[in-house]
Amino acid sequence: MKYTLLSLAIALGLPAIASAQTGDDAANLDQVSVTATRTEVAVQDSLVPVQVISREEIERSQATSLPDLLAGRAGINIANQGGPGKLTSVFLRGTESDQVLVLVDGVRLGSVTSGLAAFQDLPVSQIDHIEIVRGPRSSLYGSEAIGGVIQIFTRTGGKGLNTYAQLGFGSNNLRNHSAGFSYRGDRGWLSANAAYQETDGINACNGSATLFAGCYVDEPDRDGYRNTSIGVRGGINVTDTLSLEGNFLNADSLNEYDGSSYVGNEAENLQRVAGGKLLWSPSDAFRLTVQAGRADDQADNYYADASTGTRSFVSTFDTRRDTASVQGDYTFAEGQVITLGGDWLNDQVVSTTAYDVDSRDNTGVFAEYQGTFGAQSVQASVRNDDNEQFGSHTTGSLGYGFGFGNGFKFTASAGTGFKAPTFNDLYYPGFSNPDLKPEKSKSLNLGLAQYGQGWNWTFNAYETRIDDLIGYDTAYNVVNVDKAKIRGAELTGFVSLYGVDINAQISHTDPRNDGDDSINKDNWLARRARDTARLDLDYAIGDFRIGLTGTGTGHRFDDAANTVRLAGYGTLDVRLEYALSSDWTLQAKAANVFDKQYETVQWFNQPGREYTVSIRWQAKQQ
């Protein structure tokens, strides 16, 4: 952590040198986000914190999973239960893992029973870029967007014809392969990609049947994982003012885990997202977007008995989210935009567990204003959601920004958020309450940033208060009983010095139970470390590139009572890349080179030192 802080100080303390040493991977001043406001806004003009992870950065990182790619980034904590493909929770700004809205190409993702998005099952080879918005966005998206929004965009490709293929191998018998093509012409574009990943994995859990701990079984074996995916995106300009787009992602996986005949020890999972979009722009001042989509999250659980070689069915939890939206953006004067829109959502459950209610609807309407007045900018939005289960709920947000010159910018934003109870909270037999109210939040963010040519830094401080958190009372009834107060700060910086790209980010979060009547008042919220950091260094000389990625995480507690302390840890990855020719590239990576042993969830192991090597072919644009 000390080395990360030192490197970050260097990155932020040398803007004058950096401005004279601009490299190809400069400050990305032209990066655009569509997630923060539901309209296109340059990242440096956003009034709320936004981070964009590009396809170039994904390939350079050589990450083999989405959790690996997100680890250590500003505001993010990750808890994983035993390696690749295992249940992974992503906490954004100290909020719960189900208080983060996840979108894929604009379609809402996640299980409606557990409330979690399956980050572990979304292949990085299918991703074009990722936008991470930190802070509440319920005033634009409705439920779940308390901690923020993570939107994943699948691959599209550049102009002309582009083709690629990659073969990868690694420790624990990893096989990681992908291939695809994209074509973009004057009137349309198409991208198609396929990927396959399989690993023997590690022993996921050190549980004990005797102690009734962890996964509650003694099963010291390797727990493998397999994922097969296809992704297709395309679009056509029907006229100069009308265009149509479509997207499809299907990821089938088989996950082995440590379990019993009651809960199973194998799962066949499916993540499927399909959507379509109509864009009509009759003038430069007006744009209409109509979008519809469907997201399936399916899990079939089995018990494989190694002693008999038999496999028996245990349970099914299949959920579906159908969405539709209409949005109009009107620029009535230069730098003045009004947005009006509406969303419809239907959640459905099909399960071997008999839920009392298996579907519900939600309708939301929203309005937003964005204005720029010289060096000042304003954003305001309001939204009302009408939910079939709990009724109406209204949220809002307000943002202000002021540019001081020399790339300096001050921002301030405030917003409210909410999260609807899940089907497990409401209707799971014997452990639910159909009268639960939504969890509600209020947040404030103050930011200072400076953007230059080849360098930038941002600092954000925030506070979030959450009421009506769903928990258990003294009789173990599910009720809106808890409160939370979360304070934190994030510092990020990028600089390119003498050919070395330095990208550093560090976060401090203080997530506390704030319930006046709670026996856990002032305790840390479970499984969230207060301090995280990430440092990426990349240096290219000729056809050769070397990179380092260091992450550091402070200690956390695995339980609400704060009696189970998990030690902090740091890992270092070393990356090598060599361009064999204009079309062929060889990559190699050593992850966790010091073989650090650690846990992010008690009893569940994490991979030690691992090696990967891959060769990638990417044809020149034609």
Side-chain angles (χ1 to χ4, degrees):
M1 293 287 285
K2 292 180 180 178
Y3 291 113
T4 302
L5 286 168
L6 176 61
S7 300
L8 184 60
I10 294 173
L12 303 185
L14 297 176
I17 297 176
S19 62
Q21 298 291 333
T22 57
D24 294 333
D25 188 7
N28 291 320
L29 295 179
D30 58 346
Q31 281 190 333
V32 172
S33 168
V34 298
T35 307
T37 62
R38 295 185 68 146
T39 62
E40 290 188 358
V41 175
V43 168
Q44 69 268 23
D45 294 333
S46 176
L47 301 183
V48 293
V50 180
Q51 181 176 170
V52 177
I53 306 174
S54 66
R55 182 65 212 175
E56 180 185 7
E57 185 176 352
I58 293 171
E59 293 180 353
R60 191 169 59 236
S61 73
Q62 300 185 42
T64 57
S65 71
L66 183 54
D68 287 345
L69 182 65
L70 297 176
R73 297 186 184 272
I76 289 181
N77 262 281
I78 291 179
N80 170 268
Q81 296 187 10
K86 308 304 177 281
L87 180 64
T88 301
S89 300
V90 175
F91 305 95
L92 187 55
R93 283 195 160 184
T95 60
E96 294 287 347
S97 54
D98 59 358
Q99 294 172 343
V100 178
L101 176 61
V102 181
L103 304 172
V104 174
D105 295 327
V107 180
R108 189 179 291 253
L109 190 73
S111 166
V112 304
T113 51
S114 69
L116 302 178
F119 287 93
Q120 67 277 4
D121 291 328
L122 299 176
V124 292
S125 56
Q126 297 284 358
I127 298 174
D128 180 80
H129 66 283
I130 302 171
E131 295 181 11
I132 304 171
V133 182
R134 306 192 298 277
R137 293 285 87 186
S138 286
S139 60
L140 292 174
Y141 294 99
S143 177
E144 299 163 41
I146 290 180
V149 183
I150 298 176
Q151 179 155 204
I152 298 164
F153 296 86
T154 55
R155 296 178 76 150
T156 55
K159 293 182 179 180
L161 177 64
N162 297 269
T163 54
Y164 79 95
Q166 180 166 326
L167 295 176
F169 303 90
S171 300
N172 300 314
N173 199 22
L174 173 67
R175 289 137 286 168
N176 193 26
H177 315 315
S178 60
F181 77 92
S182 64
Y183 176 78
R184 185 179 295 270
D186 295 333
R187 279 296 185 181
W189 55 276
L190 177 66
S191 174
N193 304 275
Y196 175 83
Q197 184 182 84
E198 185 172 5
T199 175
D200 291 348
I202 62 173
N203 180 35
C205 179
N206 286 327
S208 171
T210 304
L211 299 176
F212 200 64
C215 45
Y216 312 120
V217 296
D218 300 284
E219 199 173 3
D221 60 344
R222 286 180 177 268
D223 298 295
Y225 178 69
R226 183 177 71 238
N227 187 300
T228 304
S229 64
I230 58 172
V232 181
R233 283 189 72 185
I236 184 171
N237 298 321
V238 181
T239 68
D240 291 339
T241 61
L242 179 66
S243 64
L244 300 174
E245 296 181 9
N247 61 278
F248 177 79
L249 174 65
N250 191 96
D252 281 294
S253 63
L254 174 65
N255 178 45
E256 298 175 350
Y257 56 95
D258 291 328
S260 65
S261 57
Y262 178 73
V263 298
N265 59 9
E266 286 187 1
E268 293 181 357
N269 300 319
L270 171 69
Q271 296 295 314
R272 179 183 293 145
V273 180
K277 181 188 297 185
L278 179 149
L279 300 163
W280 182 51
S281 302
S283 68
D284 292 338
F286 180 75
R287 176 170 177 161
L288 178 69
T289 304
V290 179
Q291 186 169 7
R294 169 173 290 180
D296 291 296
D297 182 300
Q298 300 180 8
D300 295 328
N301 300 294
Y302 299 86
Y303 178 68
D305 191 332
S307 62
T308 63
T310 59
R311 186 173 185 248
S312 56
F313 174 78
V314 176
S315 62
T316 289
F317 290 91
D318 294 348
T319 72
R320 171 173 291 175
R321 314 192 85 170
D322 290 326
T323 56
S325 66
V326 59
Q327 176 179 322
D329 307 308
Y330 178 50
T331 304
F332 61 91
E334 185 177 357
Q336 311 292 314
V337 181
I338 287 181
T339 297
L340 299 175
D343 298 322
W344 171 80
L345 168 67
N346 174 259
D347 292 334
Q348 300 178 46
V349 179
V350 177
S351 173
T352 50
T353 298
Y355 288 82
D356 292 336
V357 177
D358 59 11
S359 69
R360 69 178 174 191
D361 291 330
N362 187 96
T363 302
V365 292
F366 61 91
E368 180 186 32
Y369 167 73
Q370 300 174 73
T372 301
F373 307 89
Q376 302 181 78
S377 53
V378 177
Q379 183 268 342
S381 58
V382 63
R383 177 181 172 113
N384 179 264
D385 283 88
D386 185 15
N387 188 281
E388 186 177 2
Q389 182 262 326
F390 60 78
S392 178
H393 192 84
T394 301
T395 51
S397 68
L398 182 65
Y400 172 79
F402 182 79
F404 292 99
N406 295 323
F408 276 103
K409 186 172 184 177
F410 166 78
T411 58
S413 61
T416 58
F418 82 99
K419 178 198 163 290
T422 68
F423 278 75
N424 283 354
D425 296 329
L426 294 165
Y427 309 119
Y428 194 91
F431 300 93
S432 58
N433 180 356
D435 298 321
L436 290 171
K437 298 178 293 184
E439 300 171 329
K440 302 185 289 287
S441 72
K442 297 178 181 179
S443 299
L444 174 67
N445 187 94
L446 299 176
L448 188 64
Q450 187 180 20
Y451 289 86
Q453 187 61 39
W455 55 273
N456 65 64
W457 61 267
T458 69
F459 174 78
N460 286 277
Y462 63 90
E463 178 175 299
T464 298
R465 293 178 180 264
I466 308 175
D467 294 327
D468 291 328
L469 278 172
I470 296 171
Y472 295 92
D473 62 15
T474 55
Y476 297 99
N477 298 309
V478 183
V479 292
N480 295 100
V481 65
D482 285 332
K483 297 181 180 181
K485 180 172 68 176
I486 306 169
R487 291 174 173 170
E490 302 146 352
L491 186 62
T492 73
F494 172 84
V495 65
S496 184
L497 291 174
Y498 303 103
V500 180
D501 292 337
I502 306 172
N503 198 332
Q505 38 204 318
I506 186 169
S507 306
H508 174 78
T509 306
D510 189 22
R512 300 278 181 172
N513 184 309
D514 198 39
D516 293 330
D517 299 325
S518 174
I519 60 174
N520 296 316
K521 182 175 173 59
D522 293 329
N523 285 357
W524 292 14
L525 300 180
R527 296 182 178 175
R528 273 149 279 191
R530 294 180 67 185
D531 301 304
T532 62
R534 178 182 177 120
L535 175 66
D536 292 284
L537 304 176
D538 286 274
Y539 177 71
I541 178 170
D543 296 328
F544 183 78
R545 177 186 288 271
I546 184 171
L548 302 174
T549 296
T551 62
T553 301
H555 73 274
R556 68 185 77 191
F557 293 98
D558 195 60
D559 61 336
N562 286 185
T563 59
V564 180
R565 186 181 188 273
L566 303 180
Y569 62 91
T571 63
L572 177 67
D573 300 345
V574 179
R575 297 173 273 108
L576 301 174
E577 184 175 313
Y578 180 69
L580 301 171
S581 69
S582 58
D583 296 339
W584 292 89
T585 303
L586 182 66
Q587 292 183 313
K589 178 180 177 180
N592 192 6
V593 294
F594 297 116
D595 200 26
K596 179 67 176 179
Q597 304 299 306
Y598 62 98
E599 295 177 340
T600 57
V601 178
Q602 189 190 24
W603 304 100
F604 289 90
N605 299 316
Q606 291 299 301
R609 186 187 301 113
E610 293 184 313
Y611 302 97
T612 58
V613 62
S614 64
I615 186 165
R616 185 174 74 243
W617 170 77
Q618 186 162 349
K620 295 180 179 179
Q621 295 182 2
Q622 300 178 19

